[in-house]
């Protein structure tokens, strides 16, 4: 099965702090995604990418930057973290828009 | 933009009885595919079933769904639920034309099966 690895799995930071969430997939997938999951809101798309160097804006991008450095690696950056960004973050990848997306195990971020 | 609506946030159903989870969507595109994902407690979401063909029934693990473009719906059904079906269920829409690959999820429906 396709492998998507997220790090760290848990992170606590202070308001105003910098945070980088990492995601690596070893499936040779073109597409990678960052979602946040919150009760009552489901999975909301932050940013996504269809290849190295490409970045697409999702539905809730405010306060987030992302960078796809290689085919395998996709990073989510919070440069001035706020308590509203406390959430469970999922990275996902897939080879083609018509196919299954595979999720990482998630990163739980707490901003205090 | 694209949107997916799941009207029930919480569904409680008795073991052995049927369940239907509603999913409707809005999109300006014709090149789209639809998915149902299931997420068990403390796990990542995983694919339950998918479809891109109008009026064709898709089945997996006892669940089935039929895409109806005329009503913009992709409801999920099961005729007899089990305790192990308790989970969070997501409907999703993917744009398949061009390079974009945007994948939009609904708000999710939490299903609790009771004995």
């Amino acid at each position: 099965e396709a492998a998507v690895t997220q790090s760290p799995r848990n992170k606590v930071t202070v308001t105003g702090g910098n945070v980088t969430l990492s995601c690596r997939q070893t499936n040779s997938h073109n597409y990678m995604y960052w979602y946040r999951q919150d009760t009552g809101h489901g999975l909301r798309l932050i940013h996504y990418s269809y290849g190295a160097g490409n970045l697409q804006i999702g539905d809730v991008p405010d306060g987030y930057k992302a960078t796809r450095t290689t085919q395998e690696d996709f990073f989510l950056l919070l440069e001035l973290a706020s308590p509203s960004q406390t959430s469970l973050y999922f990275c996902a990848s897939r080879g083609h828009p018509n196919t299954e997306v595979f999720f990482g195990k998630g990163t739980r971020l707490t901003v205090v | 933009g694209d949107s997916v609506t799941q009207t029930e946030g919480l569904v409680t159903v008795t073991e052995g009885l049927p369940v239907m989870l509603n999913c409707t969507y809005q999109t300006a595109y014709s090149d789209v595919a639809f998915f149902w994902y299931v997420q068990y407690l403390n796990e990542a979401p995983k694919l339950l079933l998918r479809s891109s063909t109008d009026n064709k029934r898709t089945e997996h693990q006892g669940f089935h769904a039929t895409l109806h473009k005329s009503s913009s719906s992709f409801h999920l059904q099961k005729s007899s639920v089990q305790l192990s079906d308790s989970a969070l269920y997501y409907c999703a829409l993917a744009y398949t034309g061009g390079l974009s690959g945007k994948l939009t999820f609904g708000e999710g429906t939490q299903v609790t099966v009771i004995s």
Side-chain angles (χ1 to χ4, degrees):
Chain A
E1 183 165 300
V4 180
T5 304
Q6 293 183 236
S7 62
R9 295 292 316 281
N10 290 280
K11 177 73 176 180
V12 179
T13 191
V14 296
T15 300
N18 285 340
V19 177
T20 298
L21 306 185
S22 301
C23 178
R24 165 164 281 202
Q25 55 94 6
T26 55
N27 315 303
S28 300
H29 284 168
N30 294 319
Y31 295 87
M32 296 186 74
Y33 305 82
W34 277 108
Y35 291 91
R36 61 177 290 174
Q37 183 178 42
D38 305 285
T39 303
H41 295 280
L43 288 163
R44 292 184 288 177
L45 182 62
I46 305 171
H47 291 298
Y48 61 112
S49 166
Y50 58 74
N54 175 264
L55 182 64
Q56 302 290 312
I57 307 301
D59 298 319
V60 290
D62 293 347
Y64 302 96
K65 292 184 179 179
T67 180
R68 181 91 175 267
T69 55
T70 65
Q71 181 81 345
E72 296 77 20
D73 298 303
F74 196 30
F75 300 94
L76 185 68
L77 297 81
L78 292 72
E79 293 185 331
L80 287 172
S82 73
S84 65
Q85 294 176 307
T86 293
S87 187
L88 179 59
Y89 292 85
F90 282 104
C91 177
S93 76
R94 62 179 174 173
H96 185 275
N98 202 22
T99 59
E100 175 182 3
V101 66
F102 295 92
F103 286 86
K105 294 185 176 181
T107 295
R108 186 165 295 281
L109 175 66
T110 304
V111 184
V112 298
Chain B
D2 299 338
S3 68
V4 176
T5 301
Q6 296 180 245
T7 52
E8 310 97 355
L10 295 168
V11 170
T12 301
V13 57
T14 302
E15 185 180 19
L17 293 185
V19 69
M20 184 171 85
L21 308 184
N22 292 313
C23 173
T24 57
Y25 64 90
Q26 287 188 315
T27 179
Y29 301 105
S30 57
D31 295 331
V32 289
F34 296 88
F35 304 80
W36 277 100
Y37 281 81
V38 59
Q39 185 179 20
Y40 299 104
L41 188 63
N42 296 324
E43 295 184 10
K46 59 183 181 181
L47 181 68
L48 181 58
L49 48 79
R50 65 167 294 281
S51 178
S52 58
T53 305
D54 198 13
N55 297 316
K56 180 181 178 181
R57 176 171 164 140
T58 301
E59 299 190 36
H60 187 60
Q61 295 183 345
F63 288 89
H64 63 91
T66 302
L67 175 60
H68 291 295
K69 292 187 176 181
S70 60
S71 58
S72 300
S73 68
F74 189 54
H75 306 321
L76 181 69
Q77 299 182 66
K78 189 174 188 182
S79 59
S80 176
V81 297
Q82 303 172 330
L83 292 173
S84 59
D85 293 326
S86 293
L88 181 58
Y89 292 81
Y90 284 106
C91 183
L93 179 161
Y95 173 59
T96 59
L99 282 175
S100 164
K102 187 178 184 183
L103 178 62
T104 302
F105 286 83
E107 304 91 341
T109 298
Q110 180 68 51
V111 173
T112 300
V113 180
I114 58 175
S115 58

